[in-house]
Amino acid sequence: MRRIAIIGAGASGLFLSRLLREQPDMEIYLFDRCKQVGTKLRASGGGKANIFNTNIFPEGYNHPDFAAKVLEKVTPDRLRQAFDSFGLAMCADEEGRVYPLTQFSQTVVDILWNPEHPRINPVLEYEVSHLTYQDNRWHINDYPTAFDSVVLASGTPANIIPKNRKNYNNYLSTLQLYTHPWVPSLVGFKIKDYPALLSGCRVKAIASLYQGRDLIHKEFGEITFKDDGISGIVILNLSAYYNRLDDKRDCHISLNFMYHDTALDIEKHLLRHGSLQGILHPKLNALYERKPFDVRDFKMDISEPYDLTFAQVCHGGIDLSEVDDNLMIKRHPNLFAMGEILDMDGICGGYNLFFAFATAIMVAEGL
Ligand SMILES: Cc1cc2nc3c(=O)[nH]c(=O)nc-3n(C[C@H](O)[C@H](O)[C@H](O)COP(=O)(O)OP(=O)(O)OC[C@H]3O[C@@H](n4cnc5c(N)ncnc54)[C@H](O)[C@@H]3O)c2cc1C
């Protein structure tokens, strides 16, 4: 019997345990620092879990080449078939975002997790703090069982409050891997000289991220104005592209509120109606009356992204040069890494859960 330890009972860890429990020669130990499994999976998609997308494109990730290699091995259709074989009914929206038919993330956790299964050993409320390799076996802290293989699936400190993210993934230092610092991604931005009167306003706009005069990325969608900055899915996506810049100076976001009418002549409209109250959200109009701005190019200078606590994922993690094509760590035997702990992050729309599940399939094959 081969003993496999998975560190982290999150999206990728649960999925891998579901795949491996079919293997009669494997005994699986699933370690998690929390009492509950799948915390982020349950929180994902506003509680509905957008588990993948039917149209994943490699450029949606910070390392498109690596993403392309993953997609060569695991297509969205292959992932759909895997979920199908577990008995999960799914539905997709018009943008290819796939959800469980129940529209309830707990359903996904329930089909992946069976702590009573004879080959699954849950080790919960257990924080892994160091790993050692001795006599051809892996040892976890002072846990009494030694393991043939270990899979690192402990994710990142995104969306975790500061007191709970202290020493997060510190055990990585015992492995001496090349890692990149955790940086918040899929997160809103604090804005310099922010007009606080916009707080609470929600509007649709085309949002463009610029560095100096260079357009980095542009998207259409809903913007949420907060007390000191902006958020919303389009802004979260802009943060993913912002993180890909080596030098982040001189970045601003431009909002075009007139996306619906490119021909509208603002000067004529003002002459005719005396104000923009018929075409702008009341809070934007109040701001305009105080200090007119270009409604097609409302510039907001980025101060900084919001803190990790508000991020959906992290940019950073284990450098991709550390893993081989089966996601085995090259410098250590029988050690694998999958999911967000790798230096891969994607945009909103099912990209990050797809990566977690697809890499779990790759590790299952490697094992
Ligand atoms: C609010 C929110 C909404 C999201 N919505 C979506 C969405 O709709 N679609 C999408 O694709 N992605 C979404 N994501 C991102 C997605 O949830 C993550 O990318 C995904 O869960 C990562 O899976 P993972 O297995 O790598 O890590 P996780 O799911 O984070 O699991 C890691 C596990 O490891 C455990 N752990 C950590 N350190 C240790 C340790 N030292 N010892 C033992 N256990 C440890 C943790 O407790 C955790 O259970 C969302 C994220 C958030 C926060």
Side-chain angles (χ1 to χ4, degrees):
M1 187 67 89
R2 288 163 66 199
R3 292 206 170 95
I4 316 286
I6 304 172
I7 302 176
S12 61
L14 291 175
F15 197 90
L16 180 64
S17 73
R18 180 67 185 81
L19 292 169
L20 295 185
R21 77 184 202 209
E22 310 289 338
Q23 304 295 322
D25 65 330
M26 287 187 189
E27 205 176 359
I28 298 117
Y29 289 72
L30 203 50
F31 289 80
D32 205 288
R33 68 207 281 265
C34 297
K35 197 172 173 179
Q36 267 195 326
V37 302
T39 308
K40 284 188 193 169
L41 178 54
R42 263 182 284 112
S44 64
K48 292 200 296 182
N50 174 198
I51 48 179
F52 63 96
N53 196 299
T54 53
N55 302 312
I56 300 265
F57 58 96
E59 291 71 24
Y61 293 94
N62 59 327
H63 292 294
D65 292 351
F66 193 85
K69 278 203 246 169
V70 172
L71 281 160
E72 252 171 49
K73 294 194 171 198
V74 184
T75 59
D77 198 47
R78 182 161 174 211
L79 182 59
R80 189 192 55 74
Q81 284 168 29
F83 272 119
D84 199 43
S85 71
F86 301 155
L88 183 74
M90 290 156 277
C91 56
D93 68 12
E94 64 287 351
E95 283 169 60
R97 290 183 289 238
V98 179
Y99 298 89
L101 191 65
T102 59
Q103 302 275 303
F104 193 33
S105 57
Q106 184 65 42
T107 307
V108 186
V109 176
D110 291 343
I111 60 122
L112 297 177
W113 179 232
N114 178 3
E116 312 297 330
H117 192 281
R119 277 191 289 279
I120 298 277
N121 300 280
V123 190
L124 304 180
E125 294 181 271
Y126 190 100
E127 173 117 28
V128 174
S129 58
H130 58 271
L131 292 175
T132 43
Y133 191 67
Q134 233 179 350
D135 304 328
N136 297 324
R137 294 277 186 285
W138 281 102
H139 301 264
I140 293 180
N141 302 2
D142 52 3
Y143 194 77
T145 309
F147 299 97
D148 298 285
S149 299
V150 171
V151 183
L152 312 181
S154 51
T156 71
N159 217 252
I160 299 178
I161 57 170
K163 110 171 152 33
N164 292 347
R165 65 175 189 250
K166 241 167 100 189
N167 303 328
Y168 202 95
N169 279 343
N170 256 11
Y171 73 85
L172 282 179
S173 61
T174 64
L175 297 169
Q176 312 216 311
L177 301 177
Y178 174 30
T179 59
H180 301 269
W182 312 114
V183 174
S185 197
L186 300 189
V187 71
F189 288 107
K190 286 189 191 169
I191 298 294
K192 287 181 194 159
D193 303 321
Y194 183 73
L197 81 81
L198 292 183
S199 174
C201 165
R202 283 157 79 114
V203 290
K204 286 199 169 165
I206 299 171
S208 307
L209 171 67
Y210 282 91
Q211 184 164 46
R213 288 159 162 258
D214 297 336
L215 175 66
I216 307 298
H217 185 69
K218 171 159 115 168
E219 248 184 72
F220 169 70
E222 192 172 85
I223 318 285
T224 308
F225 291 85
K226 301 169 87 75
D227 290 344
D228 55 355
I230 52 174
S231 192
I233 287 177
V234 269
I235 301 300
L236 304 195
N237 280 345
L238 293 193
S239 77
Y241 290 90
Y242 173 86
N243 280 327
R244 297 182 197 178
L245 300 169
D246 292 329
D247 177 357
K248 298 185 172 53
R249 278 174 300 182
D250 196 20
C251 284
H252 76 267
I253 291 173
S254 162
L255 300 178
N256 177 358
F257 302 115
M258 292 299 115
Y259 59 90
H260 57 291
D261 190 348
T262 47
L264 183 74
D265 186 326
I266 298 295
E267 294 304 320
K268 271 195 192 150
H269 186 95
L270 274 170
L271 276 174
R272 189 159 170 223
H273 301 284
S275 88
L276 296 185
Q277 69 178 358
I279 55 174
L280 282 182
H281 183 285
K283 290 194 176 191
L284 280 168
N285 187 49
L287 183 69
Y288 188 91
E289 306 248 300
R290 215 181 265 184
K291 194 177 167 202
F293 54 83
D294 185 343
V295 294
R296 290 199 173 86
D297 182 17
F298 180 55
K299 289 197 177 65
M300 307 195 101
D301 289 329
I302 293 175
S303 159
E304 57 179 346
Y306 283 109
D307 174 76
L308 270 179
T309 315
F310 306 101
Q312 287 201 359
V313 295
C314 276
H315 182 75
I318 299 174
D319 190 86
L320 301 173
S321 66
E322 291 282 5
V323 291
D324 71 10
D325 287 350
N326 290 318
L327 303 180
M328 187 153 101
I329 303 274
K330 293 175 194 164
R331 65 173 88 196
H332 295 293
N334 302 324
L335 182 68
F336 295 78
M338 61 185 191
E340 211 182 300
I341 197 172
L342 290 166
D343 176 24
M344 278 286 275
D345 56 273
I347 55 172
C348 295
Y351 278 70
N352 291 294
L353 283 175
F354 174 80
F355 186 72
F357 300 139
T359 51
I361 292 178
M362 289 165 70
V363 170
E365 284 171 358
L367 279 166

